[in-house]
Amino acid sequence: MKWWQKHIAQHSHRVAQLNQLGFVWERLQPEWNLFMESLVYYSSMYGNVMVPSSFVIPHEDERWPKAIWGYPLGNVVYRVRFRNDFLLGENAVERKNQLDGLE
């Protein structure tokens, strides 16, 4: 945290540069994006979001983007449903709305 304060937070031009490059400030955002992409593909293939907890996106299946091959979608869906992973904090309402849009 001290490094952040010294090298970034105190220099608004650096923050602006990072924003311009598309820097992701929330550390879980890339994981959320991967989860949502996987869930959208699952929903389009199976017609629902009732993902079995053991479901892993298959490797070498061209119906799925390569970036999500091997992703443990079922486990992540379980964690979202029962532990509220990703659904706490400042983005909680937006993320819940994204999920509600899939059902």
Side-chain angles (χ1 to χ4, degrees), residues 33 51 56 62 86 100:
N33 294 345
V51 184
V56 175
E62 295 298 327
F86 301 117
D100 288 342

Side-chain angles (χ1 to χ4, degrees), residues 5-20:
Q5 290 296 326
K6 181 178 179 183
H7 297 286
I8 304 294
Q10 299 295 324
H11 305 280
S12 60
H13 68 284
R14 289 183 181 165
V15 172
Q17 288 174 325
L18 290 169
N19 285 336
Q20 189 174 16

Side-chain angles (χ1 to χ4, degrees), residues 4-96:
W4 165 259
Q5 290 296 326
K6 181 178 179 183
H7 297 286
I8 304 294
Q10 299 295 324
H11 305 280
S12 60
H13 68 284
R14 289 183 181 165
V15 172
Q17 288 174 325
L18 290 169
N19 285 336
Q20 189 174 16
L21 292 171
F23 186 80
V24 176
W25 294 101
E26 184 183 338
R27 70 178 183 82
L28 293 177
Q29 187 63 38
E31 178 72 19
W32 173 257
N33 294 345
L34 191 63
F35 167 66
M36 285 303 297
E37 180 180 9
S38 301
L39 196 56
V40 166
Y41 269 90
Y42 184 93
S43 176
S44 69
M45 286 182 200
Y46 296 96
N48 63 62
V49 292
M50 300 303 294
V51 184
S53 61
S54 62
F55 183 81
V56 175
I57 301 206
H59 288 271
E60 308 297 327
D61 186 338
E62 295 298 327
R63 296 177 302 163
W64 300 87
K66 286 184 180 182
I68 57 176
W69 285 359
Y71 186 75
L73 181 60
N75 181 269
V76 179
V77 167
Y78 175 85
R79 292 187 346 243
V80 169
R81 285 193 176 126
F82 296 100
R83 294 187 345 190
N84 287 321
D85 284 14
F86 301 117
L87 301 180
L88 303 173
E90 63 187 47
N91 293 325
V93 172
E94 177 185 340
R95 289 177 175 176
K96 286 176 185 176

